[in-house]
């Protein structure tokens, strides 16, 4: 009956349904129902006439505008299928029933030529990362082609190929609505909420299997890459910002693990915390994964808007399944929409992106987009084995008899990464803080970097009652009333006084300092405070984006994570300027921290997972500001 029901739905061009094979399941779920397009995440109809309903939603990238971020508006709908029927299909029988004839591609190629894409990469590294606009950015291009087969037949063929040949995907899925069809095998669960526990799964680093399959030696080389390691740490930091916004306990890191798929292997962490928020609010606060956008998130959206030629559609959005639970609420399961093929009117599109960091090589990033596209096309059988191998690897490389993640050498290499990370985020923290600053209030001024959510969580752990206020909304009355003001980090050039955000952060720092009231300035605001004290500001020769350093902080060496392109700099050996003590690099004069009457500042991000001594250093600096 279930297979005949699928045949009925497939034959009806007006029918809307979804096929989902979840990680580890030996069956495929078939969900069908009526389509409802809504404007906002809050409008997703989880309850109809007082009855909780199961809802599947395709959330487009343009939905980031709900968070106040910019995006090209292509009109891609926030599409919901209100589920009337939820069936289970046995995978072997389904595979036998699905079409298997390969779908040939015509007029295939990238919409942006390799040399043009390499030039975009160069500009982003120089003009965006090089000017302090962020740590990493994902810029995508699309592989396009035409097919002569009916869209639905093609999609079912590709879904069969994924079920047969792909392994390790979190979701393998096919979504059918009258004017939008998507088929994919997403490796990454963006956000899951079940029983009050929220999980995020940042995945980064891409190892393309060589011909014959991956080996211990080739994987060790990949895991030893500085670029790949730092790329993962940066996206974990970015997702912890989101976790700290939605979880009362801030979130805890476990891992790292290997994500082994048929053609690619990635590295991943798991982040877990507790939340009482509506799942739609959790989804809104976590739009979207830094692995497919960049960091800091708000500026990443602006960079994408400047450098991508076409709107993203659903690429980097999520497929979200809201399922009623026993508490009359809803659980949420939402993978990222990557490794996905979109087909409409015989036109195929496979969006792929590369994560650009300060170490990026333009030709290497070009190659990465080729590899990702080939991985998708090879998995769905749209290109043959020889072409897939030429593009990136042997698409049919045999799986290792023993998972490489279980190899002692690989396991030890993965585990060793955590020695660089802050225990604060690796260990349970609890919700109740009894720290040294109980009874005092703090306002954290957000300068468009949600590191402030992690910083606020740490301050709460130290006992403070914390409010986060955006730079554009914080009032002078709020600045005056707080026991402590934390002027936060943010992107951009601290010398750019024409920028309204920089100008406002300068006013916040000046108002608090002039009042001789407790102030902590972080990163961008540390640079602003330095300039106020007459210390020169200058760009670094190479950006410190996601860099871990051991630096002197007033008598103690501290391991701290840095995300800065500019630095305050004094003459080497300087230990004081008028009104402040200076802690600086002995050789370069780069200023790492300042302290004076009722204020302290720090260049690094004490809240970062890279700051092993972050919480201790934060407590020391806050204590000085209160002294």
């Amino acid at each position: 009956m279930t297979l005949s029901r699928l045949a009925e739905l497939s034959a009806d061009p007006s029918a809307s349904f979804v096929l989902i094979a979840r990680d580890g399941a030996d069956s495929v779920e078939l969900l069908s129902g009526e389509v409802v397009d809504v404007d906002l995440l809050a409008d997703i109809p989880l309850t109809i006439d007082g009855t909780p309903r199961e809802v599947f939603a395709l959330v487009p990238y343009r939905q980031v505008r709900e968070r106040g971020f910019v995006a090209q508006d292509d009109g891609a709908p926030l599409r919901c299928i209100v589920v009337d029927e939820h069936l289970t299909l046995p995978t072997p029988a389904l595979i036998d029933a699905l079409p298997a004839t390969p779908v040939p591609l015509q007029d295939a190629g990238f919409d942006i030529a390799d040399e043009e894409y390499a030039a975009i990469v160069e500009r982003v590294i120089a003009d965006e990362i090089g000017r302090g606009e962020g740590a990493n950015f994902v810029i995508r291009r699309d592989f396009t082609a035409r097919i002569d087969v009916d869209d639905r037949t093609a999609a079912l063929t590709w879904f069969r190929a994924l079920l047969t040949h792909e392994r390790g995907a979190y979701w393998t899925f096919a979504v059918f609505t009258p004017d939008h069809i998507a088929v994919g095998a997403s490796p990454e669960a963006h956000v899951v909420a079940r029983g009050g526990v929220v999980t995020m799964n940042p995945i980064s680093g891409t190892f393309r299997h060589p011909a014959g399959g991956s080996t211990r030696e080739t994987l060790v080389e990949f895991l030893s890459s500085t670029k790949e390691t730092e790329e993962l740490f940066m996206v974990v930091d970015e997702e912890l910002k989101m976790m700290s916004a939605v979880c009362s306990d801030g979130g805890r890191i476990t891992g790292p693990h290997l994500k082994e798929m048929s053609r690619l292997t990635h590295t991943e962490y798991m982040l877990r915390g507790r939340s009482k928020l509506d799942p739609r609010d959790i989804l809104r606060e976590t739009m979207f994964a830094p692995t497919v956008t960049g960091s800091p998130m708000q500026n990443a959206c602006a960079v994408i808007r400047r450098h991508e030629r076409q709107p993203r559609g659903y690429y980097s959005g999520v497929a979200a399944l809201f399922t009623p639970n026993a508490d009359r609420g809803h659980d949420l399961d939402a993978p990222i929409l990557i490794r996905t093929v979109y087909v409409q009117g015989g036109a195929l599109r496979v969006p792929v992106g590369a994560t650009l960091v300060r170490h990026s090589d333009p030709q290497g990033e070009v190659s990465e987009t080729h590899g990702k596209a080939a991985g998708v096309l090879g998995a769905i059988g749209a290109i043959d084995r020889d072409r897939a191998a030429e593009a990136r690897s042997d698409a049919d490389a045999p799986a290792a008899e023993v998972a490489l993640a279980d190899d002692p050498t690989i396991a030890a290499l993965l585990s060793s990464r955590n020695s660089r990370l802050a225990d604060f985020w690796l260990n349970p923290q609890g919700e109740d803080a009894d720290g040294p600053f109980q009874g005092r209030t703090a306002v954290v001024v957000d300068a468009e970097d949600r590191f402030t959510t992690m910083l606020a969580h740490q301050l709460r752990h130290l006992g403070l009652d914390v409010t986060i206020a955006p730079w554009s909304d914080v009032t002078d009355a709020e600045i005056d009333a707080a026991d402590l003001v934390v002027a936060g980090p943010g992107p951009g050039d601290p010398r750019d006084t024409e920028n309204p955000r920089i100008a406002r952060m300068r006013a916040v720092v000046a108002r608090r300092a002039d009042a001789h009231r407790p102030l902590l300035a972080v990163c961008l605001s540390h640079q602003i405070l330095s300039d106020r004290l007459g210390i020169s500001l200058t760009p670094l020769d190479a950006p410190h984006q996601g860099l871990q350093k051991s630096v002197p902080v007033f008598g103690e060496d501290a391991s701290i994570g840095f995300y800065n392109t500019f630095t305050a700099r004094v003459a080497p050996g300087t230990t004081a300027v008028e009104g402040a003590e200076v802690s600086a690099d002995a050789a370069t004069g780069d200023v790492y921290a300042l302290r004076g009457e009722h204020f302290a500042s720090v260049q690094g991000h004490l809240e970062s997972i890279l700051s092993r001594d972050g919480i201790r250093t934060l407590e020391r600096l806050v204590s000085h500001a209160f002294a």
Side-chain angles (χ1 to χ4, degrees):
M1 182 271 177
T2 53
L3 290 175
S4 62
R5 179 58 177 149
L6 174 60
E8 291 173 8
L9 292 167
S10 301
D12 181 357
S14 67
S16 297
F17 64 98
V18 186
L19 293 166
I20 303 172
R22 302 200 214 197
D23 185 23
D26 58 2
S27 59
V28 176
E29 298 167 72
L30 170 61
L31 294 74
S32 60
E34 294 298 315
V35 165
V36 177
D37 291 343
V38 298
D39 292 329
L40 303 173
L41 290 170
D43 299 331
I44 294 174
L46 299 187
T47 302
I48 299 177
D49 295 331
T51 301
R53 298 295 299 272
E54 185 169 37
V55 178
F56 173 88
L58 281 176
V59 183
Y61 171 75
R62 74 185 187 105
Q63 221 64 35
V64 296
R65 296 178 306 160
E66 287 197 45
R67 293 184 62 187
F69 303 166
V70 298
Q72 295 187 64
D73 188 0
D74 54 359
L78 172 47
R79 173 145 295 179
C80 303
I81 297 177
V82 180
V83 178
D84 293 321
E85 190 174 42
H86 189 153
L87 305 175
T88 300
L89 311 179
T91 301
L94 175 62
I95 289 174
D96 289 342
L98 291 174
T101 303
V103 178
L105 304 184
Q106 302 172 5
D107 303 323
F110 279 102
D111 62 337
I112 299 174
D114 286 357
E115 59 271 19
E116 293 179 80
Y117 185 75
I120 293 171
V121 172
E122 289 179 341
R123 287 198 299 273
V124 170
I125 295 170
D127 298 342
E128 307 293 359
I129 298 175
R131 289 197 321 228
E133 297 301 321
N136 59 85
F137 302 109
V138 179
I139 303 299
R140 76 95 176 49
R141 60 178 179 158
D142 295 349
F143 185 93
T144 64
R146 293 201 60 80
I147 60 172
D148 285 335
V149 177
D150 170 75
D151 289 353
R152 292 199 168 203
T153 300
L156 290 170
T157 303
W158 297 333
F159 184 67
R160 180 188 187 278
L162 291 172
L163 288 179
T164 304
H165 300 298
E166 188 56 274
R167 66 183 178 94
Y170 179 70
W171 268 27
T172 301
F173 60 91
V175 183
F176 299 83
T177 66
D179 55 350
H180 286 82
I181 295 177
V183 185
S186 177
E188 190 166 349
H190 174 52
V191 62
V192 176
R194 292 192 183 104
V197 176
V198 176
T199 304
M200 298 186 74
N201 176 209
I203 295 177
S204 191
T206 300
F207 172 61
R208 296 187 291 276
H209 298 174
S214 56
T215 64
R216 175 197 294 176
E217 291 72 26
T218 56
L219 193 53
V220 163
E221 182 180 359
F222 162 70
L223 292 175
S224 301
S225 164
T226 298
K227 174 187 180 296
E228 301 290 357
T229 302
E230 291 185 353
E231 190 177 301
L232 179 59
F233 288 160
M234 283 189 277
V235 298
V236 171
D237 257 339
E238 193 68 19
E239 293 206 1
L240 270 175
K241 298 176 187 180
M242 298 175 179
M243 291 290 287
S244 293
V246 301
C247 296
S248 57
D249 56 353
R252 179 192 176 199
I253 304 170
T254 59
H257 311 289
L258 283 186
K259 184 75 172 181
E260 297 183 76
M261 304 186 72
S262 298
R263 298 157 182 81
L264 304 170
T265 293
H266 307 280
T267 46
E268 64 179 357
Y269 277 92
M270 300 298 294
L271 314 181
R272 289 186 176 86
R274 300 198 66 82
S275 179
K276 297 178 181 178
L277 293 180
D278 182 292
R280 292 167 294 192
D281 294 331
I282 292 172
L283 191 54
R284 181 186 306 105
E285 290 299 315
T286 59
M287 292 192 301
F288 283 114
T291 51
V292 284
T293 52
S295 64
M297 180 67 197
Q298 185 164 353
N299 238 34
C301 292
V303 169
I304 289 168
R305 180 69 180 84
R306 286 195 288 270
H307 293 277
E308 288 190 355
R309 297 182 182 176
Q310 300 294 332
R312 285 194 162 196
Y314 292 100
Y315 171 72
S316 72
V318 298
L321 182 61
F322 299 86
T323 303
N325 57 33
D327 299 323
R328 293 191 63 80
H330 284 77
D331 294 334
L332 168 67
D333 192 359
I336 301 174
L337 287 169
I338 55 174
R339 311 290 167 81
T340 299
V341 181
Y342 301 92
V343 60
Q344 184 174 0
L348 170 148
R349 183 172 61 92
V350 180
V352 291
T355 300
L356 312 184
V357 297
R358 69 180 193 276
H359 296 305
S360 287
D361 167 63
Q363 292 305 320
E365 304 301 352
V366 168
S367 176
E368 179 152 330
T369 60
H370 276 276
K372 287 179 176 178
V376 175
L377 296 168
I380 66 172
I383 58 176
D384 60 31
R385 174 177 173 177
D386 292 337
R387 288 181 61 196
E390 181 181 351
R392 38 144 307 279
S393 72
D394 182 354
D396 296 315
E401 292 184 6
V402 178
L404 287 172
D406 297 329
D407 182 284
T409 300
I410 300 299
L413 189 56
L414 281 169
S415 180
S416 68
R417 290 186 173 188
N418 286 352
S419 65
R420 296 180 56 186
L421 304 184
D423 287 342
F424 181 83
W425 299 107
L426 292 170
N427 297 322
Q429 301 151 26
E431 298 186 28
D432 298 321
D434 56 358
F437 307 121
Q438 285 283 341
R440 292 176 169 176
T441 62
V443 169
V444 179
V445 184
D446 187 338
E448 295 184 7
D449 187 339
R450 296 194 78 195
F451 261 129
T452 49
T453 63
M454 295 169 66
L455 188 56
H457 176 68
Q458 287 190 322
L459 291 167
R460 293 184 185 108
H461 186 80
L462 294 174
L464 287 152
D465 181 2
V466 183
T467 301
I468 299 175
W471 68 270
S472 55
D473 296 342
V474 67
T475 66
D476 288 347
E478 289 176 288
I479 293 167
D480 295 341
D483 294 328
L484 173 72
V485 166
V486 179
D493 186 340
R495 304 166 301 181
D496 183 9
T497 56
E498 299 301 312
N499 183 308
R501 177 171 51 83
I502 302 295
R504 180 54 177 156
M505 294 307 295
R506 283 178 169 267
V508 167
V509 169
R511 185 177 185 89
R512 194 69 180 187
D514 287 343
H516 303 288
R517 299 287 311 284
L519 167 70
L520 175 66
V522 178
C523 197
L524 173 71
S525 296
H526 157 85
Q527 296 161 7
I528 289 171
L529 177 62
S530 298
D531 183 66
R532 173 184 169 84
L533 293 169
I535 300 172
S536 64
L537 303 177
T538 186
L540 292 161
D541 293 336
H544 290 171
Q545 297 291 349
L547 182 66
Q548 185 181 57
K549 298 178 67 173
S550 180
V551 302
V553 181
F554 304 117
E556 288 187 14
D557 287 339
S559 179
I560 295 173
F562 286 79
Y563 287 84
N564 63 302
T565 299
F566 294 86
T567 186
R569 185 170 288 165
V570 294
T574 300
T575 59
V577 296
E578 185 176 354
E581 297 177 69
V582 176
S583 188
D585 188 281
T588 65
D590 290 353
V591 179
Y592 298 130
L594 298 166
R595 65 183 184 187
E597 184 181 358
H598 299 306
F599 71 80
S601 71
V602 63
Q603 176 61 76
H605 285 262
L606 305 180
E607 67 281 6
S608 167
I609 62 166
L610 293 171
S611 293
R612 290 197 314 244
D613 300 311
I615 192 70
R616 170 168 172 73
T617 306
L618 179 63
E619 182 176 346
R620 290 178 63 213
L621 295 178
V622 171
S623 292
H624 177 86
F626 275 133

